[in-house]
Amino acid sequence: SDHRFFRFPLSDRDRCRRWVQSVCTHREAGWKPSYHHRVCGAHFLSRQPSSVPENIDFVPTIVDHRRDSSRRARLNQQRSARLAKRKLVAAEDIDVDEAPAAPINEHDAAEGCLTTSSKVDDRAPERLDPASPSCETCEELRKQLEAFTLKQSSFLEKIRGDDQKTAFYTGLPTWDVFLALFSYLEGKSERMHFWRGQKEEQRRSVQHKEGRGVGGKKPSKLSLMEQFLAVLIRLRLGLVVDDVCDRFGISRSYYSKIFSTWIILLFKELPLLFPWPSKNKVKKFTPLQFAVYPNTRVILDCTEIFIERPSLLKTNCQAYSNYKSHSTFKALVGISPAGVFTFVSTLWSGRASDKLLVRASGILDLLEPGDNVMADKGFDIEELLAERKATLNIPPFLGKGRTQFSVGEVERTRRIASLRIHVERAIGRMKNFRLLDGTLPITLAPLATHIFRVCAYLTNFATPVVPSY
């Protein structure tokens, strides 16, 4: 026969349900297909299903529910006879010849319907002596196959206990750090509701205010640890969604729910692990190389990430950065003298100035009288800091009418540059998460601030960029 058989679309629940309703009316209520069930190509006009929803072959349409009762009774009788014969042979422990099978022709396949991927062998299996070498060999091979299947069943097993692979795939320095962070998040992740779109979230919000249950069963195809790993892999390697889905054997829609939900959870939880440090704590961990500037509370700098060009002209004008000659998002970041991120602002359009970000980001509200802020020349914020009784430490300007710096100014510029470079090194480490290093898809714009802040705080788990000596 030239008929082909196709698996049920198990990854698409709605489509799979329509397939079952179309070709499985003879099945009992509540029946669900498995990975091994097939649908004959004769149920489709083009002899095969289409992945395009608008195509008529997106769902089987050629269905003949009329059955030849006499022929079906004959087939059932033949099957019952073969089954009885196999049971008799197994009881007597003897070999028998192959029982005659009912022929299956093209008409059977067209009316046919469902089949499984494996063919039934009508011969009774030959019994092996448990003490024989052949039986022992089979048992050993079976154990090896089970061990291999378990090892390959999860991408998580590929990095388990391997610090080098953990750092490559997740950005976290060791496997123990990965486990420690997951242990902290596990209790919270068990109670979280997975993102299912803006309309669904609005409905949940209304139900919550009215005191009704929000429902929303969370996805369970992957364990919580596998979900966490799938999110970190995309952040670290900058993979497209299809690549991640292939690695974990899941659908795009399922992964989108996982990614959005875990990013929001990390966005809320990681800042709690790295709060704005007190002045005493900053001084306690300030390296010796900052001895010349002992009151330094934070080192500020701005950074930009590329984004896809917005389609709206006004939005594109606001996002275009003259400095980068590209559409960008811009953020203000700050590190402590010890080299860890202590402040990460929300993302702004690429046209925003450094001074605007300092004024609007909220960093000024965190400063205390006597604090010293180190920054680059472009940060003209001395007046803003003076209102908080804080001071600014930037390289000197040459000024009008001067052709060169004095010896003292050159030395001051060198000292500040040697310390301020640490914030640029921290930003470079953050952009080792390659989702930020390339061009961010415009579809991720609603989560851009979340992603940026999560990547920044994840770098704090690594060794600080500033040596303690």
Side-chain angles (χ1 to χ4, degrees), residues 210-222:
E210 294 177 353
R212 294 183 288 149
V214 296
K217 183 179 179 181
K218 57 187 177 184
S220 58
K221 296 178 183 177
L222 298 179

Side-chain angles (χ1 to χ4, degrees), residues 359-380:
R359 182 188 299 114
S361 64
I363 183 65
L364 296 176
D365 298 329
L366 300 175
L367 298 176
E368 301 176 29
D371 286 343
N372 179 265
V373 176
M374 186 174 290
D376 196 12
K377 287 184 179 181
F379 283 82
D380 183 19

Side-chain angles (χ1 to χ4, degrees), residues 397-403 405:
F397 289 90
L398 188 60
K400 296 182 180 180
R402 300 177 60 190
T403 58
F405 289 119

Side-chain angles (χ1 to χ4, degrees), residues 143-153:
K143 292 180 179 179
Q144 293 180 7
L145 179 60
E146 289 179 353
F148 177 79
T149 303
L150 179 62
K151 184 177 180 181
Q152 298 297 324
S153 62

